[in-house]
Every structure is written in C-alpha cells, then in structure tokens.
Amino acid sequence: MGKPSLKTKSDWAIRAGLGIVLALGVWWADAAQGLMAAEPKGAANPAEAKPEEKLPLLKPEDPAVAAILASQPTTPLEKMRAAELLARLNRADLAKRLLKEVLDVKLDESQLADLGVELGSVFFMRLASRQELAPEAQQIRDAVFGAMKARLEDPKRLHMLIQQLQDPSFEKRQRAVAGLCEAHQAGAVALIAVLADPARQTEHPAIRSVLVQMGADAVGPLLACLEAPADRLKAEAAMLLAQMEVQEAVLPLQVLAVAETSSPPLRAAATQALRRLKAQMPSSPREVAELLYRRAFHYYTGQRVIPTDLEGRTRLWQWEPAQGRPVGQYLPVHQVRLRRAAQWARQAYELLPEDPRIRLLYLTTMLEEAKYSQGLDKPLAMGKDTPGDRAASFGLETLEAALRFALESRHPVAATAILEIMSRLNPSEAFLRRTSEPSPIVQALRYADRRLRMAALGLIMTIRPTSPYPGASYVVEAMEFFASSLGVRRALVVTGQAEAASALAGYLAEAGYTVDTAQTGRDSIRLLLNCCDYELVWLDASLRSPEPMVLVQQLRRDARTGDLLVGIFCQQEEYERTRRLAEADERILVFVRPYQPDLAKLDVARTLALAGPEWVGFEQRQQQAQQALHWIAQLAQEGQKLYDLHALEPTLLRALQVSSLASPAAKVLGSLGTPASQKALVDLASRGTHPVEIRQAAVDAFAQSVQKFGILLTAQQIERQYDLYNASRHLPAETQKILGQILDVIEGAVSLPTSPKQSAEKSQPLKKQGK
C-alpha cells in the first residue's frame, strides 16, 4: 500500500468550518449528528458491527471543535492543520491524537520535506512550543526539519548549483546563488571545497562572490579555514573575512601575521586583511600571546558570555584534518569554551613558551581536552608527542602548579588528568608536606567530582606515605564515603505534603530507585550526607527554612552531595519564577508537578538528562566502592599507624550486607581486631542466605582476626555457634562445613569446658554432636 498523498482533499473545510460555525451560530448538535451518521456498511446488526474508530463526541460548548472534526481530515497536511486549530481551542487531547496518526503513517523523507515546504517552519516551531502536545509535536517538527535540511544540503544538489554558477544564463546563475544561500553553512562548505582546489581557479571569482553574499552563514566556515594546513586557503579566507568586515577574525589574523610558521605570502595577506578591518597591527609575538592568553583565560574560567540555543548549545566551527574541510558541531557551551580556550592557549604557548601563566593554561586545557576526547574513564595515551607525553615532559613541579590552577578554577576533569600523569612519574612523599597547608593532591580529596577524588586517593596510595602530613585525615574521610554504598540506586523527595511525597516517590520507584522522603530541608541534608548512593533529589518549590535554592547551594558546597541531580517541582503559576531562580545551575530541572504517570516518566528522564559525561552512574559507583575497600584492606594488612581505620568500622559492617562489597569488607574487618568485627564475620558466615563464596571469605577473615587478636567473642556468642552447628544436621553440606570451620577456629584458639547439658547427651567434643 502506497504512502498517502500530501495534497489537500478537504482542507478548505478545516479552515472554513470554524468560521462558519462562529459566524452563523450553527448548533453543535448538527455537527455531532454528522459525526454519528456514518454506519458500517454490510453489517446485519449495527450493534455487532465494528465501526471505524472516530474522534470522541463533543460537549455542547464545543461547536467550533465539532465543525473541525466534521470535516474529517484525512491527509497528513489536513491533519496537521486540524491539530493546530484544535490546540488553539484547548483540545490538546484531540490534537495529539491527530498528530499521532501522522506519525503512525511513517512518511518518507521526501513527503516530510514536502510537508515542511507547504506549512513552513514557523508552523512546526509554534506547534512544538506547546508543552501539552509533547512529545508528538516535537517529534514531527524534528522529522520535518531533518528532511528539509537533508534536501537542501544534498551534495548532488549543491554540486549542480555550483556548476550552474558558470552558466551563461543570468537567471540560472541567480537561481544557483539562491539555492546555495538556502543551504546555509552546508552551501558555504561546498563553496570552500572549490576555493581550496587550485585546479578550479577559473571558478574562484564566482565562489568568492557567493560566499560574501551568504554573509553570516559563511563566517563560521571561513574562520575555521584560518586553521587549515594550506597557506593559500588561509590567505583566501583572510581576504574574504576582511571584505565581510568580520571583527571576530582580528585575533586569528594577528596570530598569522606574527607566527614564524606563516609563509611570507600568508603574512602579507593577514597584514592586508587587518588593515582593511582597521585593526591594530601587533608589534611583537609577545603582544599577540598576551591577547591570546587573556581570551583563553576568560573562556576557560567562564568570564566570557557565549550565546546558546534553547538547549544550551552553540555551534563551533573547526578545521577537521581528517575530512579536509570545515566542520560545524552543536556542542554544550562548556565544551565550546574548552575547545576555544585550548586552541588559543596552544597558540599563545607557541608564541611565548617561557611565560609561566601561559604554560599552566596550555597544560591544563590540553589535558582536559584530551581527557574528554579519549574518554573520562580511560587512561590517557602516553605515546610519543601525545598530550600525556607532552604533559609528562613538564615535570612534577609544573604539574603540581597546574593541578593547583585546575582546582582553583574548578576544572575537575583537568585536575584528574594531571593526577593521572603525576602518578606515572612516581612523586615522593615530600609532595604531601611542602607547606603547613594540605597540598593540592590532598585538597583534591574534598572536591565533589568522584573521579577526581578517586584519582587523588590512587596517587596517595601510590606514594605510600609513612609519616603524618597536612590533611591526612581526608584520606580516611574519602575512603569512608566511597565504601559507604549500600548497593542500590537511591533518590530523595523533599516536600511537606504527604500526598505529593507518596505520589512522586512512586514514580521514582517505577524508574528503579529506592526512594526516601523528607519533610524539611534540614532532614534532607541529614539523609543525603549519610549515604553516597543518592543520584537525584526532587525538591518542593514551596519549601521554607531553607528555601530550595539555598538548600541546593548548601548541597553544592559539600563534596558528598555536590554532584546530585536536582529537580524542583512547582505548580503551573510558579513555574516561570522558579525557573528564573534556578537557571544559573545547569544541573537543576524545574518542572510542573506531574499528576499522570506518563508525565512523571518524562520528568524522571529529563532529570537524568542533566547528567553530563562527568557524572558517575550506579555501576561505576560500585566499582569505586570496591576499589576503596581494596585500598582500606591494603592499609590494614600493612599495619600502618598513619590512618585510624577503626573509624571505618561502622561503614565496613554495613558493607557486609552488600553482596558486591561483602568479601573485601570482610577482609578489612579481619584486620581490625574488635569484638564487633568478629561477631559480624561469624554472623555473616553462619547466614545461609548469602552465597558460599562470601561466607567463606567471612570465615577466612574471622580466622585471620583470631590468629592476630585472639577470641573476642563472648561465651554466649560462642555457645550460640555450637547450637547452630548442632542444629545443622539437615542443612546443606556446604553450610555444615562452614559452621564446622568456625568452631575449628574457636577451638584452635581456646579450650572450652563442656557444658553439663551437652555432656549429658554425649561425652565427645561438642562440635561432633552435629554429625
């Protein structure tokens, strides 16, 4: 069956129906009767027939809506127009149904593009802006815009248009110019490809003319050409940007004018372009390096405002060596800041490598860009002339200074990369105690970024300090945080309204969370600080003492809660005010409190979408908890005196209840030598609900503890173990074996008198009674 036609069939009725009903006062009943008149043909009994499903009947106060439905829109074009009219009349339910029907047809790319041409882009943008039509209206908008964009940017079409620029016919040439301008940046990139080809010089005058006519659409691609490897293309771009009076080109042109790597023709072209732009001619490379540094620093530290779209993205144009052409990408604004800062810092360093400020900025931005590019959870490549190799060549002193700068400017990804490089250079213990204040390595333990804190812990464990140093207590504090996981994804709802708390908690539970609730901000802080498993928190906008934004600021300042994803829910009339208060924090979602499961699922998804690549999810948190326990066990086995591991006992006891953490936690508890740790190990080993491997690890840890510290169990606890063994006759063999091993450890450490009750039953050793 073929795809439906987009041409109108009764489109006039949709437009005219509303006017007729309003102007002539036609009763709603007439329209309703028109909807009910159709009866399935050939049915012997109308009650048994299955009529074609129709839109629902209307209330008496809906005459205009009735007239629209009476027109029975059939083609996608008619349904789109009908849906837009229904949305205006506050019948989003009917409009969404029509939009879903359009989606279900699955129009091909050509039909979607035709639909976009017929209705215009403004129509789809206006429709998609209505939240009550989500997600159907947004899905149709994206599909139509994508199809229109693909048609305009089709390479074959662009190639044909560029060829037509040489046509003798003035009209054909003008149509070609118009077509290339319609393709926007894609048209500019296609023209630049011809400009870069020396074999097509006869076409270059026409190409230059069209690029200038394209105006703003050509600016980004032409600026990217200033980074191209070919000096001839750089010179072409320089002259065109000057002709277009693009002030943004001044700084890169100044770099080309003074760089030693620029050829004489390129320097001449850059100088000429600067004169045409009436820009200041640089007096020395140092002056340009200083300008580059200031620009890079302002971008990197967020002091320069960058325009963004509604989704917080901006388009970045760069020269792509692999493709040999300019490439534009829509990126989050922080990524644009980083890439621009890294580019300018590199250029500044090439011009003035002896400047320490430029050196630190270059090193920091280079490593952060490399970390994002190679993967935040992958080690940096250390091959020849890689960013990691270049960073290592600066030495530990410079790397430590760069680490301090990264921490102060709040760039945890850069700081993590620097710690990774430092760990490969084997710093000495002296780096931890240079001053009376905690060193940058130790300070990193109190930052909210989990990868950064783990990297700092890893480096300190590599250094293996043996004597006190400033901030040594931060190590145990950080290990306790990571090891405190209870092995579940956790969320918190904070509201004083019991009904809202119950409903929202239910929605989050359906998404896979273990949900806690709190009535006040103070209660929420207590819960959040005591558990590292919380991923998101939903706050009621009506909270007081403290208000939501004050509470969020408190959470952001604490390393244990700084990475939380935050949602603030409110009533419809409070939305705009609440959104304005929260817009400075990228990890806050403001939403109207959902009353339907479908809307709640959307809000959960939108809250999780706040998580950028820096955010650490559940699986990695469990890996970090295991690594922390491994380090704690390592410290415990070494018998060191620097860190007080007994402070970790409550955390370790809780970790025994988490299957993924129980074995390493048991190993550490075996080194503590406390009554509570021995009892917990015995209880875990005796519990048949746990896997045998975990129970065996608990027995081994108990044996280690007894061998080192002796029996710390009470007489009653020991007698209970005998009772458990003697009652295990019908339990699995592995359980009997483990219970027997526990008694072997006990009997190997101490001789116990036989109780009168057990002696009366049998004179042989107590543990044999179970066999």
Side-chain angles (χ1 to χ4, degrees):
M1 186 173 180
K3 298 285 185 181
S5 170
L6 290 175
K7 295 181 182 287
T8 60
K9 196 172 184 182
S10 58
D11 186 45
W12 63 271
I14 299 172
R15 298 198 227 182
L18 177 58
I20 292 172
V21 171
L22 295 179
L24 302 179
V26 178
W27 290 98
W28 70 273
D30 294 336
Q33 288 175 3
L35 290 174
M36 299 172 62
E39 206 172 86
K41 295 181 180 180
N45 184 353
E48 296 176 0
K50 292 185 178 180
E52 180 183 354
E53 187 178 2
K54 293 184 177 293
L55 293 167
L57 296 181
L58 303 163
K59 300 177 182 179
E61 62 269 19
D62 295 325
V65 177
I68 296 171
L69 300 181
S71 67
Q72 288 298 308
T74 55
T75 69
L77 182 59
E78 293 168 1
K79 290 179 179 180
M80 290 301 302
R81 282 181 169 145
E84 200 260 349
L85 289 172
L86 289 168
R88 288 191 195 181
L89 295 169
N90 297 321
R91 289 307 302 267
D93 55 334
L94 301 179
K96 280 171 65 73
R97 181 168 175 177
L98 287 171
L99 294 175
K100 186 176 185 305
E101 290 177 3
V102 174
L103 287 169
D104 290 343
V105 171
K106 301 188 184 304
L107 300 173
D108 60 31
E109 194 171 81
S110 176
Q111 291 173 315
L112 287 167
D114 289 342
L115 194 63
V117 171
E118 182 69 28
L119 294 174
S121 59
V122 174
F123 174 92
F124 293 97
M125 292 175 65
R126 185 171 61 237
L127 205 64
S129 68
R130 292 179 175 270
Q131 289 299 316
E132 66 271 21
L133 300 182
E136 289 84 0
Q138 290 84 351
Q139 291 171 356
I140 292 176
R141 174 202 59 191
D142 294 344
V144 168
F145 283 7
M148 294 176 68
K149 184 173 184 289
R151 174 180 289 183
L152 292 172
E153 298 178 0
D154 179 32
K156 293 180 180 179
R157 174 180 179 272
L158 295 176
H159 176 72
M160 180 190 68
L161 292 173
I162 290 174
Q163 286 183 325
Q164 288 179 4
L165 292 175
Q166 309 303 317
D167 196 282
S169 169
F170 175 76
E171 291 184 358
K172 284 188 177 181
R173 293 200 304 272
Q174 289 301 102
R175 284 200 297 268
V177 171
L180 288 165
C181 289
E182 282 182 336
H184 302 289
Q185 287 97 340
V189 171
L191 291 166
I192 288 170
V194 179
L195 194 64
D197 188 352
R200 301 178 69 174
Q201 288 190 19
T202 56
E203 301 177 55
H204 289 180
I207 298 297
R208 296 187 191 103
S209 175
V210 178
L211 283 169
V212 172
Q213 289 183 61
M214 294 184 77
D217 284 334
V219 170
L222 285 172
L223 285 170
C225 290
L226 297 178
E227 308 165 21
D231 282 2
R232 194 187 61 81
L233 181 57
K234 289 179 182 177
E236 288 275 12
M239 297 310 299
L240 287 170
L241 289 165
Q243 186 178 346
M244 298 163 67
E245 299 182 353
V246 178
Q247 292 299 314
E248 191 179 348
V250 169
L251 183 56
L253 288 173
Q254 289 174 327
V255 174
L256 295 177
V258 301
E260 294 182 359
T261 55
S262 297
S263 64
L266 177 56
R267 288 185 186 178
T271 301
Q272 184 180 349
L274 287 169
R275 289 197 182 102
R276 185 162 185 173
L277 287 167
K278 297 180 175 58
Q280 179 182 355
M281 295 298 297
S283 59
S284 66
R286 176 179 291 275
E287 179 184 350
V288 178
E290 184 65 31
L291 292 171
L292 286 166
Y293 169 76
R294 286 205 298 268
R295 180 78 63 87
F297 183 82
H298 289 158
Y299 264 67
Y300 194 56
T301 56
Q303 297 180 44
R304 177 68 67 92
V305 177
I306 300 177
T308 64
D309 61 15
L310 294 176
E311 297 178 5
R313 304 177 307 164
T314 191
R315 193 164 196 177
L316 175 68
W317 282 94
Q318 291 182 302
W319 183 265
E320 179 53 57
Q323 300 183 38
R325 64 186 181 89
V327 173
Q329 292 178 280
Y330 279 101
L331 298 171
V333 68
H334 73 276
Q335 283 293 315
V336 174
R337 291 185 187 279
L338 172 61
R339 294 198 185 187
R340 284 294 184 225
Q343 175 191 349
W344 293 324
R346 173 179 51 79
Q347 293 173 337
Y349 179 73
E350 291 170 352
L351 293 173
L352 199 64
E354 64 271 18
D355 189 302
R357 301 168 306 149
I358 293 176
R359 189 185 308 127
L360 293 183
L361 185 60
Y362 163 63
L363 178 57
T364 306
T365 55
M366 175 185 66
L367 286 176
E368 183 169 347
E369 187 177 36
K371 197 67 177 172
Y372 275 111
S373 175
Q374 298 178 27
L376 297 183
D377 296 311
K378 296 179 180 179
L380 285 169
M382 295 297 292
K384 185 178 180 181
D385 204 35
T386 59
D389 179 53
R390 291 197 296 273
S393 69
F394 282 95
L396 284 167
E397 298 286 345
T398 301
L399 285 168
E400 185 186 38
L403 175 61
R404 181 178 288 106
F405 169 68
L407 294 175
E408 290 173 352
S409 59
R410 308 204 67 81
H411 280 270
V413 175
T416 303
I418 294 168
L419 287 168
E420 181 183 331
I421 301 299
M422 291 181 72
S423 68
R424 300 187 184 192
L425 299 179
N426 298 317
S428 68
E429 190 174 338
F431 273 88
L432 300 179
R433 58 171 70 89
R434 290 176 174 242
T435 67
S436 59
E437 297 295 323
S439 70
I441 298 172
V442 178
Q443 290 176 26
L445 294 171
R446 285 197 162 180
Y447 275 70
D449 187 277
R450 293 177 184 242
R451 290 186 184 87
L452 173 58
R453 297 171 76 187
M454 287 297 290
L457 276 175
L459 178 54
I460 292 172
M461 292 300 295
T462 299
I463 294 173
R464 305 172 83 84
T466 56
S467 56
Y469 57 89
S473 62
Y474 298 178
V475 172
V476 176
E477 180 184 287
M479 287 182 172
E480 180 180 23
F481 171 79
F482 286 112
S484 66
S485 173
L486 297 179
V488 294
R489 299 180 66 197
R490 216 166 195 90
L492 179 66
V493 177
V494 188
T495 177
Q497 305 174 47
E499 182 269 333
S502 177
L504 296 174
Y507 297 144
L508 288 167
E510 290 179 5
Y513 285 99
T514 298
V515 187
D516 298 315
T517 61
Q519 293 186 350
T520 67
R522 291 187 181 89
D523 290 341
S524 70
I525 290 176
R526 176 179 53 80
L527 289 170
L528 292 168
L529 293 181
N530 287 335
C531 182
C532 71
D533 290 326
Y534 286 104
E535 295 182 11
L536 64 85
V537 55
W538 276 359
L539 306 174
D540 191 336
S542 63
L543 285 173
R544 296 293 179 268
S545 301
E547 295 183 352
M549 288 311 302
V550 176
L551 177 58
V552 171
Q553 291 170 8
Q554 293 175 358
L555 297 175
R556 293 285 185 249
R557 285 196 294 266
D558 195 295
R560 294 166 290 181
T561 55
D563 63 345
L564 278 170
L565 306 177
V566 178
I568 300 179
F569 59 91
C570 59
Q571 298 301 321
Q572 182 67 54
E573 58 272 16
E574 301 171 339
Y575 176 78
E576 280 303 322
R577 182 185 67 85
T578 309
R579 184 189 62 80
R580 286 194 298 271
L581 289 173
E583 61 186 0
D585 192 325
E586 295 178 350
R587 284 173 296 164
I588 294 180
L589 172 72
V590 176
F591 58 97
V592 176
R593 180 195 157 184
Y595 290 89
Q596 299 175 5
D598 289 344
L599 293 176
K601 289 179 181 177
L602 180 62
D603 290 328
V604 173
R606 290 168 62 208
T607 306
L608 293 176
L610 297 171
E614 306 84 4
W615 193 73
V616 174
F618 173 73
E619 292 183 2
Q620 191 172 355
R621 292 185 185 200
Q622 297 310 295
Q623 294 170 5
Q624 291 176 341
Q626 294 173 21
Q627 180 61 64
L629 286 169
H630 171 75
W631 283 329
I632 295 170
Q634 182 179 328
L635 292 173
Q637 289 175 349
E638 292 173 354
Q640 52 77 44
K641 304 298 182 183
L642 180 57
Y643 307 111
D644 180 15
L645 299 184
H646 287 84
L648 299 175
E649 185 176 59
T651 299
L652 296 168
L653 294 176
R654 289 195 299 270
L656 287 179
Q657 310 309 315
V658 183
S659 58
S660 61
L661 307 179
S663 294
K667 191 174 183 180
V668 180
L669 286 168
S671 303
L672 293 187
T674 64
S677 63
Q678 286 195 1
K679 179 180 182 302
L681 291 170
V682 168
D683 289 346
L684 175 62
S686 303
R687 200 170 297 130
T689 55
H690 287 280
V692 174
E693 297 79 10
I694 292 177
R695 298 168 67 195
Q696 187 62 56
V699 173
D700 295 342
F702 175 62
Q704 174 190 347
S705 179
V706 170
Q707 182 180 5
K708 190 172 183 180
F709 303 104
I711 290 289
L712 301 177
L713 300 176
T714 66
Q716 287 182 337
Q717 291 166 350
I718 294 174
E719 186 170 352
R720 178 176 178 273
Q721 288 305 124
Y722 277 95
D723 291 340
L724 288 174
Y725 181 82
N726 291 333
S728 68
R729 185 184 307 274
H730 302 294
L731 295 180
E734 61 267 18
T735 295
Q736 294 185 26
K737 179 183 176 182
I738 287 174
L739 292 173
Q741 288 176 334
I742 294 173
L743 296 186
D744 286 341
V745 172
I746 294 174
E747 292 174 352
V750 63
S751 297
L752 296 175
T754 303
S755 70
K757 177 181 178 182
Q758 290 169 325
S759 297
E761 294 177 359
K762 227 171 197 181
S763 59
Q764 59 184 343
L766 290 175
K767 82 170 202 175
K768 300 297 184 182
Q769 294 182 15
K771 296 186 179 181

PDB file of all heavy atoms in Angstrom, residues 294 296-306 337:
ATOM      1  N   ARG A 294      44.692  36.113  27.452  1.00  0.00           N
ATOM      2  CA  ARG A 294      43.526  36.723  28.104  1.00  0.00           C
ATOM      3  C   ARG A 294      42.229  36.145  27.539  1.00  0.00           C
ATOM      4  O   ARG A 294      41.295  35.850  28.295  1.00  0.00           O
ATOM      5  CB  ARG A 294      43.562  38.240  27.941  1.00  0.00           C
ATOM      6  CG  ARG A 294      44.587  38.926  28.809  1.00  0.00           C
ATOM      7  CD  ARG A 294      44.191  40.377  29.075  1.00  0.00           C
ATOM      8  NE  ARG A 294      44.130  41.139  27.834  1.00  0.00           N
ATOM      9  CZ  ARG A 294      45.135  41.828  27.318  1.00  0.00           C
ATOM     10  NH1 ARG A 294      46.305  41.851  27.947  1.00  0.00           N
ATOM     11  NH2 ARG A 294      44.998  42.510  26.202  1.00  0.00           N
ATOM     12  N   ALA A 296      41.793  33.174  26.083  1.00  0.00           N
ATOM     13  CA  ALA A 296      41.685  31.782  26.515  1.00  0.00           C
ATOM     14  C   ALA A 296      41.284  31.686  27.988  1.00  0.00           C
ATOM     15  O   ALA A 296      40.428  30.879  28.370  1.00  0.00           O
ATOM     16  CB  ALA A 296      42.996  31.042  26.276  1.00  0.00           C
ATOM     17  N   PHE A 297      41.906  32.522  28.822  1.00  0.00           N
ATOM     18  CA  PHE A 297      41.618  32.501  30.262  1.00  0.00           C
ATOM     19  C   PHE A 297      40.160  32.861  30.520  1.00  0.00           C
ATOM     20  O   PHE A 297      39.482  32.219  31.340  1.00  0.00           O
ATOM     21  CB  PHE A 297      42.551  33.462  30.992  1.00  0.00           C
ATOM     22  CG  PHE A 297      42.370  33.461  32.488  1.00  0.00           C
ATOM     23  CD1 PHE A 297      42.963  32.486  33.267  1.00  0.00           C
ATOM     24  CD2 PHE A 297      41.596  34.434  33.116  1.00  0.00           C
ATOM     25  CE1 PHE A 297      42.795  32.481  34.646  1.00  0.00           C
ATOM     26  CE2 PHE A 297      41.422  34.442  34.488  1.00  0.00           C
ATOM     27  CZ  PHE A 297      42.022  33.456  35.257  1.00  0.00           C
ATOM     28  N   HIS A 298      39.656  33.878  29.836  1.00  0.00           N
ATOM     29  CA  HIS A 298      38.270  34.295  30.038  1.00  0.00           C
ATOM     30  C   HIS A 298      37.297  33.220  29.583  1.00  0.00           C
ATOM     31  O   HIS A 298      36.263  32.992  30.232  1.00  0.00           O
ATOM     32  CB  HIS A 298      38.005  35.604  29.287  1.00  0.00           C
ATOM     33  CG  HIS A 298      38.676  36.781  29.905  1.00  0.00           C
ATOM     34  ND1 HIS A 298      38.952  37.944  29.202  1.00  0.00           N
ATOM     35  CD2 HIS A 298      39.158  36.994  31.164  1.00  0.00           C
ATOM     36  CE1 HIS A 298      39.548  38.807  30.004  1.00  0.00           C
ATOM     37  NE2 HIS A 298      39.685  38.251  31.191  1.00  0.00           N
ATOM     38  N   TYR A 299      37.592  32.551  28.506  1.00  0.00           N
ATOM     39  CA  TYR A 299      36.728  31.452  28.064  1.00  0.00           C
ATOM     40  C   TYR A 299      36.784  30.292  29.051  1.00  0.00           C
ATOM     41  O   TYR A 299      35.758  29.714  29.423  1.00  0.00           O
ATOM     42  CB  TYR A 299      37.153  30.975  26.672  1.00  0.00           C
ATOM     43  CG  TYR A 299      36.357  31.588  25.541  1.00  0.00           C
ATOM     44  CD1 TYR A 299      36.464  32.946  25.254  1.00  0.00           C
ATOM     45  CD2 TYR A 299      35.487  30.831  24.769  1.00  0.00           C
ATOM     46  CE1 TYR A 299      35.743  33.527  24.227  1.00  0.00           C
ATOM     47  CE2 TYR A 299      34.750  31.389  23.743  1.00  0.00           C
ATOM     48  CZ  TYR A 299      34.884  32.748  23.470  1.00  0.00           C
ATOM     49  OH  TYR A 299      34.156  33.306  22.456  1.00  0.00           O
ATOM     50  N   TYR A 300      37.987  29.924  29.467  1.00  0.00           N
ATOM     51  CA  TYR A 300      38.162  28.740  30.314  1.00  0.00           C
ATOM     52  C   TYR A 300      37.538  28.927  31.689  1.00  0.00           C
ATOM     53  O   TYR A 300      37.020  27.976  32.277  1.00  0.00           O
ATOM     54  CB  TYR A 300      39.656  28.448  30.456  1.00  0.00           C
ATOM     55  CG  TYR A 300      39.978  27.093  31.021  1.00  0.00           C
ATOM     56  CD1 TYR A 300      39.500  25.930  30.431  1.00  0.00           C
ATOM     57  CD2 TYR A 300      40.788  26.961  32.154  1.00  0.00           C
ATOM     58  CE1 TYR A 300      39.809  24.680  30.947  1.00  0.00           C
ATOM     59  CE2 TYR A 300      41.112  25.722  32.672  1.00  0.00           C
ATOM     60  CZ  TYR A 300      40.621  24.579  32.067  1.00  0.00           C
ATOM     61  OH  TYR A 300      40.928  23.345  32.579  1.00  0.00           O
ATOM     62  N   THR A 301      37.580  30.132  32.206  1.00  0.00           N
ATOM     63  CA  THR A 301      37.027  30.394  33.538  1.00  0.00           C
ATOM     64  C   THR A 301      35.589  30.888  33.491  1.00  0.00           C
ATOM     65  O   THR A 301      35.033  31.272  34.524  1.00  0.00           O
ATOM     66  CB  THR A 301      37.901  31.421  34.274  1.00  0.00           C
ATOM     67  OG1 THR A 301      38.012  32.615  33.461  1.00  0.00           O
ATOM     68  CG2 THR A 301      39.291  30.868  34.535  1.00  0.00           C
ATOM     69  N   GLY A 302      34.983  30.901  32.303  1.00  0.00           N
ATOM     70  CA  GLY A 302      33.571  31.242  32.183  1.00  0.00           C
ATOM     71  C   GLY A 302      33.267  32.716  32.271  1.00  0.00           C
ATOM     72  O   GLY A 302      32.115  33.095  32.512  1.00  0.00           O
ATOM     73  N   GLN A 303      34.252  33.589  32.063  1.00  0.00           N
ATOM     74  CA  GLN A 303      34.021  35.024  32.177  1.00  0.00           C
ATOM     75  C   GLN A 303      33.487  35.643  30.886  1.00  0.00           C
ATOM     76  O   GLN A 303      33.052  36.782  30.884  1.00  0.00           O
ATOM     77  CB  GLN A 303      35.323  35.722  32.579  1.00  0.00           C
ATOM     78  CG  GLN A 303      35.852  35.293  33.938  1.00  0.00           C
ATOM     79  CD  GLN A 303      37.140  35.994  34.312  1.00  0.00           C
ATOM     80  OE1 GLN A 303      37.284  37.197  34.123  1.00  0.00           O
ATOM     81  NE2 GLN A 303      38.096  35.245  34.849  1.00  0.00           N
ATOM     82  N   ARG A 304      33.541  34.901  29.786  1.00  0.00           N
ATOM     83  CA  ARG A 304      33.033  35.400  28.508  1.00  0.00           C
ATOM     84  C   ARG A 304      31.673  34.748  28.233  1.00  0.00           C
ATOM     85  O   ARG A 304      31.558  33.522  28.238  1.00  0.00           O
ATOM     86  CB  ARG A 304      34.020  35.089  27.385  1.00  0.00           C
ATOM     87  CG  ARG A 304      33.558  35.494  25.989  1.00  0.00           C
ATOM     88  CD  ARG A 304      33.489  36.999  25.844  1.00  0.00           C
ATOM     89  NE  ARG A 304      34.797  37.615  25.906  1.00  0.00           N
ATOM     90  CZ  ARG A 304      35.552  37.856  24.820  1.00  0.00           C
ATOM     91  NH1 ARG A 304      35.118  37.534  23.626  1.00  0.00           N
ATOM     92  NH2 ARG A 304      36.715  38.442  24.963  1.00  0.00           N
ATOM     93  N   VAL A 305      30.641  35.550  28.005  1.00  0.00           N
ATOM     94  CA  VAL A 305      29.301  35.040  27.721  1.00  0.00           C
ATOM     95  C   VAL A 305      29.251  34.531  26.271  1.00  0.00           C
ATOM     96  O   VAL A 305      29.698  35.214  25.347  1.00  0.00           O
ATOM     97  CB  VAL A 305      28.232  36.129  27.932  1.00  0.00           C
ATOM     98  CG1 VAL A 305      26.848  35.608  27.564  1.00  0.00           C
ATOM     99  CG2 VAL A 305      28.252  36.601  29.384  1.00  0.00           C
ATOM    100  N   ILE A 306      28.713  33.333  26.084  1.00  0.00           N
ATOM    101  CA  ILE A 306      28.591  32.729  24.761  1.00  0.00           C
ATOM    102  C   ILE A 306      27.107  32.520  24.475  1.00  0.00           C
ATOM    103  O   ILE A 306      26.410  31.872  25.258  1.00  0.00           O
ATOM    104  CB  ILE A 306      29.334  31.387  24.680  1.00  0.00           C
ATOM    105  CG1 ILE A 306      30.820  31.590  24.981  1.00  0.00           C
ATOM    106  CG2 ILE A 306      29.158  30.743  23.311  1.00  0.00           C
ATOM    107  CD1 ILE A 306      31.618  30.309  24.990  1.00  0.00           C
ATOM    108  N   ARG A 337      33.669  26.371  25.209  1.00  0.00           N
ATOM    109  CA  ARG A 337      34.655  27.148  25.978  1.00  0.00           C
ATOM    110  C   ARG A 337      35.997  26.412  26.026  1.00  0.00           C
ATOM    111  O   ARG A 337      37.068  27.006  25.842  1.00  0.00           O
ATOM    112  CB  ARG A 337      34.149  27.366  27.408  1.00  0.00           C
ATOM    113  CG  ARG A 337      32.967  28.293  27.550  1.00  0.00           C
ATOM    114  CD  ARG A 337      32.665  28.511  29.029  1.00  0.00           C
ATOM    115  NE  ARG A 337      31.446  29.261  29.223  1.00  0.00           N
ATOM    116  CZ  ARG A 337      31.364  30.585  29.127  1.00  0.00           C
ATOM    117  NH1 ARG A 337      32.460  31.273  28.833  1.00  0.00           N
ATOM    118  NH2 ARG A 337      30.230  31.207  29.324  1.00  0.00           N
TER     119      ARG A 337
END
